[in-house]
Amino acid sequence: MIKTILEIEGMACGMCEAHINAAVRRAFSVKKVTSSHTRGRTEIVSEQPLEENRLRAEIEAAGYHVAAIQSGTYQKKGFSLFRK
């Protein structure tokens, strides 16, 4: 699994977050996408790496500016009642 973090400029409200999330889901097969206008950040979890140029183009077509993109390996954090 791959986690991609975008620093996005121009988000002002919850609808902005929804527009970005919808643009990502339309363009890519992702497991999870969440955006925060207060942090200016979108986090995407996918099985395959996302093409950065295409990702940037989709976000900018929705009316927002991508300031930075970071990608790395994502490991799901589990919950266990028996953890020591």
Side-chain angles (χ1 to χ4, degrees):
M1 299 283 265
I2 306 294
K3 183 174 188 175
T4 305
I5 300 171
L6 309 172
E7 299 296 326
I8 299 179
E9 297 172 354
M11 285 192 288
C13 63
M15 283 306 295
C16 296
E17 296 169 1
H19 289 148
I20 290 173
N21 294 347
V24 170
R25 286 188 185 106
R26 271 193 311 269
F28 299 96
S29 175
V30 298
K31 292 290 186 183
K32 180 179 175 183
V33 57
T34 57
S35 296
S36 169
H37 71 278
T38 57
R39 293 174 51 203
R41 187 172 170 146
T42 295
E43 296 182 4
I44 305 165
V45 176
S46 59
E47 291 200 19
Q48 301 297 321
L50 303 178
E51 185 183 328
E52 289 186 13
N53 289 335
R54 184 171 163 218
L55 183 58
R56 186 179 301 272
E58 292 293 334
I59 299 296
E60 295 195 0
Y64 305 93
H65 175 71
V66 178
I69 300 176
Q70 295 177 299
S71 294
T73 304
Y74 172 76
Q75 292 189 348
K76 188 175 181 179
K77 296 175 184 156
F79 175 76
S80 173
L81 295 174
F82 305 104
R83 186 182 267 177
K84 291 184 179 182

